Amino acid sequence: MSSNLPDAIHDTPSRVPTWLRDGWPVVLVAVIALAGWYLLTATVYAGKGYLVPSPQEVAAAVAENAGVLLVATLTTLKEATFGYLLAIVGGISLAAVLSQSKLLERSIYPYAVLLQTVPVVAVAPLIVLWFGYNDLSVVIISLIMSLFPIVNNTLLGLRSTSRNLTELFALHNRSRFTAFWKLQLPGALPHIIGGLRISAGLSVIGAIVGEFIIGSGNAQGGLGVQIVFAQGRMYTALLFAEVIAATLLGFLFFMVVSAIGNRLLKNWHESAIGH
């Protein structure tokens, strides 16, 4: 009977909530980082809040400028979301087309790579010239920055379909569309989710960079605009608050995409089983 005791203990369900059991390391690291930040500002940077403000100063800046921060964060969220959604639709569609023809892939894929390597700062003046100083230009920059990982990972996944399964579909006289919809696309889903995770953060970065370049002339803008204004006023505490807000926004995008990906993959793919 004693030999079965370890199994019984192992089989007993834990009373600790899953989110608490899995999330405490993240909280612990955050607490350590916050404590280190506080000690640094109390010792090395004591009295030098213009260089590294203390957590209390940043919290005070957030409270003082809560309305501006909220509007700026929502503006950047809107621009990044539109850019990201366009990148998803365009990237997956382009990869689907390229996967059906080696000739098309050899002809068009290098230009997708080229688009990724062109500095955004270099093409921003053209985007402004074509679309003006507005949110649309920021969305386009966000789209450009987040497009390539989706195209690349989706194409890789579609090209990684098992040859045996492909031949099995051909043996049963399945159409190319049926093979794509029921074989290639489901099989490529883990790669697609990986590309979406990478692009989630890039879409926010693209929106903020676009605001740096395009929206800095407008006082009513997103986080990128407000960062420029806070830097000009040497308001370092507010600058820290806006950088933290931008970081959390990118993290939020990543977590939402990861949660959706885990839900889609959890019943059949090793990367998500147990999450």
Side-chain angles (χ1 to χ4, degrees), residues 55-192:
Q56 305 96 298
E57 293 172 321
V58 174
V62 171
E64 183 181 349
N65 300 274
V68 174
L69 277 172
L70 179 60
V71 172
T73 302
L74 291 177
T75 299
T76 301
L77 174 63
K78 178 188 69 175
E79 295 163 346
T81 300
F82 278 118
Y84 187 49
L85 292 177
L86 289 174
I88 292 175
V89 174
I92 294 178
S93 299
L94 178 60
V97 172
L98 296 184
S99 69
Q100 302 304 308
S101 171
K102 280 289 187 181
L103 178 61
L104 280 177
E105 181 180 347
R106 289 195 299 267
S107 303
I108 298 176
Y109 184 73
Y111 292 100
V113 177
L114 188 64
L115 181 66
Q116 178 71 10
T117 58
V118 174
V120 173
V121 178
V123 299
L126 287 175
I127 294 174
V128 173
L129 180 64
W130 294 334
F131 302 100
Y133 285 93
N134 50 45
D135 291 349
L136 177 59
S137 296
V138 178
V139 169
I140 291 172
I141 291 180
S142 177
L143 163 64
I144 291 173
M145 289 198 66
S146 55
L147 180 64
F148 180 75
I150 298 176
V151 175
N152 184 68
N153 282 39
T154 302
L155 185 59
L156 176 62
L158 294 174
R159 287 295 190 192
S160 301
T161 306
S162 169
R163 180 172 297 181
N164 291 335
L165 293 177
T166 302
E167 292 176 352
L168 180 63
F169 268 64
L171 182 64
H172 287 81
N173 296 320
R174 301 299 184 184
S175 67
R176 176 174 288 190
F177 176 79
T178 301
F180 172 82
W181 186 252
K182 294 189 175 182
L183 177 61
Q184 285 184 284
L185 190 59
L189 196 56
H191 291 84
I192 296 174

Side-chain angles (χ1 to χ4, degrees), residues 2 87 155 212 248 273:
S2 59
L155 185 59
F212 278 152
L248 292 177
I273 293 176

Side-chain angles (χ1 to χ4, degrees), residues 33-53:
L34 191 63
W37 179 13
Y38 175 79
L39 290 175
L40 189 65
T41 56
T43 55
V44 179
Y45 290 98
K48 299 179 181 178
Y50 60 92
L51 290 178
V52 181

